[in-house]
Amino acid sequence: MGIRIDIKGLRLILESTPSEQNIMLTGKHGIGKSRILSYYFAEKGLNVVSLFLGQMSDPGDLIGLPYKDDKTGKTDFMPPYWWPHDGKPIVLFLDELNRARPEVLQTVMDLTLNRKLAGKSLPQGSRIISAVNDGDEYQLTDLDPALVSRFNIYEFCPRTDEWLQWAQEEKLDNRVIDFIKQNSDMLDGEGLKHEDLGLKKTPDRRAWERVSQIISGKGELAFFYKTIIAGIVGMAAASRFFDFCSANRLLIAQDVLFGDASEVTKTLSTYNLPNFAFVNESIFRFLQAESLNDEKKKTASENLKKYFVFLEKLSTKEALAHFVKLYSDGSYKKAVLFIVEECDPLLDDIERFIRSI
């Protein structure tokens, strides 16, 4: 078991680690390693160059093609397409490091130790980050201990709630978001039974994004969509997803904030504490990610007040306490700002409840 980090931990490590130290991220495929690095370094103004080492057939794919220098009469190497010619530092992301051929890994040895390829140095301040797929299901190359020693190694395990927040901000289909909220073991396929692991397709985070792209804007899903989705996440996950969509859907933020209040109340009356926790988090994620026009702000504000009053009338206060916790823990700043600016009566009720604790 490696040193496990989530997205927040990865950002802290990137901020605290000097550029001359190499970082290796281990973990399953499809968990967002390259995307998260690209987002982070884009904020810093650094270009991320991703090289898929498993696709390289020989060192020339990495260091460039040899040619004869007419001035010296010696063999030199033409810089590869990605080599920075402007002197600005880059982030070199070596993906699939443990899928690379041994001769390619020998070239990586010099790169990770001396920041050089074929005698040419990377610009000062450049960083080298690698990623490896770790697990018995992968066909991998054993890494030389001397190469491994040149990396700070972390097992990258982004949390489900981090993915849910990202998915809401990226406006993935709510059915996907709500399914993963209630079936977090299916985000990376951990919920599959042992006998299911022989399937050609298993779910991962990239796969659920593709599912969202296909069903977004569609109403009730026709049965043939199950076949389409099974080709993305596997039949076991597709079946659970369809069962969820057809029979087990809980109310989401849009239902509570913009739906028929009497119907919403009737449905809420059947809910238990985990159901309310789901609805609460759906509301805060929605308000965190969405920008509403004035008309929708007014409707959402009025219905959010009604929802809070409903929670106050419940025989136990756990659901109400959970709502207030989401308000006060600092994770949903935009949602809190909406309540402060648009829901004065509700703000008073929340503050009164906090004082009563």
Side-chain angles (χ1 to χ4, degrees):
M1 184 68 68
I3 306 302
R4 304 187 111 191
I5 58 171
D6 54 19
I7 294 176
K8 182 179 179 181
L10 176 58
R11 294 180 69 93
L12 290 172
I13 285 171
L14 294 174
E15 290 170 1
S16 304
T17 303
S19 61
E20 62 269 17
Q21 294 187 20
N22 308 315
I23 293 173
M24 179 187 292
L25 302 178
T26 70
K28 291 188 63 176
H29 66 278
I31 58 176
K33 295 185 288 289
S34 58
R35 171 177 282 172
I36 291 165
L37 290 172
S38 295
Y39 283 171
Y40 173 83
F41 286 111
E43 296 172 358
K44 308 295 182 182
L46 289 172
N47 182 39
V48 177
V49 177
S50 296
L51 300 178
F52 295 92
L53 301 189
Q55 299 175 7
M56 295 183 175
S57 59
D58 62 59
D61 292 338
L62 182 60
I63 64 177
L65 296 176
Y67 74 99
K68 181 181 178 180
D69 189 324
D70 293 334
K71 293 181 179 180
T72 65
K74 297 180 180 180
T75 299
D76 200 351
F77 289 85
M78 297 179 63
Y81 73 93
W82 54 267
W83 190 264
H85 296 284
D86 55 8
K88 295 181 179 178
I90 63 169
V91 178
L92 195 55
F93 180 53
L94 306 178
D95 205 357
E96 301 180 340
L97 183 68
N98 55 343
R99 289 178 181 269
R101 294 172 178 267
E103 55 269 28
V104 173
L105 290 176
Q106 289 300 316
T107 303
V108 173
M109 292 275 281
D110 187 36
L111 180 62
T112 55
L113 181 62
N114 301 312
R115 293 294 198 276
K116 288 183 177 181
L117 273 181
K120 299 179 179 65
S121 298
L122 287 171
Q124 187 70 27
S126 293
R127 306 190 67 152
I128 296 177
I129 300 175
S130 72
V132 301
N133 295 328
D134 190 20
D136 294 336
E137 66 268 36
Y138 303 108
Q139 295 179 354
L140 306 173
T141 302
D142 289 336
L143 296 179
D144 190 313
L147 177 59
V148 172
S149 70
R150 296 173 188 182
F151 288 92
N152 305 342
I153 302 177
Y154 306 96
E155 183 182 2
F156 185 48
C157 303
R159 301 192 315 271
T160 300
D161 64 295
E162 292 175 323
W163 185 87
L164 287 169
Q165 184 63 45
W166 169 85
Q168 190 78 52
E169 293 170 353
E170 293 294 316
K171 295 180 171 50
L172 266 61
D173 189 276
N174 282 312
R175 285 165 290 191
V176 172
I177 294 175
D178 297 335
F179 173 72
I180 296 301
K181 174 62 183 174
Q182 294 190 54
N183 300 270
S184 60
D185 59 339
M186 296 303 291
L187 179 58
D188 298 310
E190 295 175 358
L192 293 175
K193 297 179 181 178
H194 180 72
E195 59 266 25
D196 293 327
L197 296 181
L199 294 172
K200 292 182 179 179
K201 293 295 292 185
T202 55
D204 58 51
R205 297 166 193 233
R206 281 196 303 252
W208 287 117
E209 184 178 3
R210 294 201 298 273
V211 170
S212 172
Q213 292 167 350
I214 287 176
I215 69 174
S216 181
K218 308 292 192 302
E220 185 175 349
L221 299 178
F223 183 77
F224 74 86
Y225 274 99
K226 184 174 182 178
T227 301
I228 297 174
I229 294 171
I232 302 173
V233 297
M235 183 55 73
S239 296
R240 283 181 59 175
F241 179 68
F242 258 70
D243 288 345
F244 169 83
C245 290
S246 61
N248 299 315
R249 191 181 80 84
L250 295 176
L251 293 176
I252 60 175
Q254 292 91 324
D255 299 321
V256 175
L257 299 178
F258 306 111
D260 181 88
S262 60
E263 291 297 321
V264 168
T265 300
K266 186 186 303 183
T267 302
L268 289 174
S269 300
T270 67
Y271 279 12
N272 57 24
L273 180 57
N275 296 155
F276 282 117
F278 172 86
V279 175
N280 290 344
E281 292 182 18
S282 177
I283 290 171
F284 276 85
R285 290 200 313 270
F286 177 83
L287 294 176
Q288 179 73 16
E290 296 294 328
S291 297
L292 305 178
N293 59 33
D294 290 342
E295 181 179 354
K296 285 196 170 184
K297 283 181 181 178
K298 185 174 183 297
T299 302
S301 174
E302 292 172 352
N303 286 334
L304 188 58
K305 168 65 176 176
K306 293 176 183 177
Y307 176 69
F308 191 89
V309 169
F310 178 89
L311 295 182
E312 285 185 308
K313 292 180 179 179
L314 294 174
S315 57
T316 61
K317 299 303 178 187
E318 284 89 346
L320 182 62
H322 180 262
F323 183 98
V324 173
K325 180 180 182 295
L326 294 175
Y327 170 85
S328 58
D329 72 1
S331 298
Y332 299 98
K333 292 182 173 59
K334 284 183 62 179
V336 170
L337 185 63
F338 175 85
I339 293 174
V340 170
E341 292 182 344
E342 307 294 336
C343 311
D344 281 344
L346 176 57
L347 181 61
D348 293 339
D349 292 342
I350 291 174
E351 292 177 347
R352 185 179 68 253
F353 178 80
I354 292 175
R355 289 194 299 269
S356 71
I357 297 176

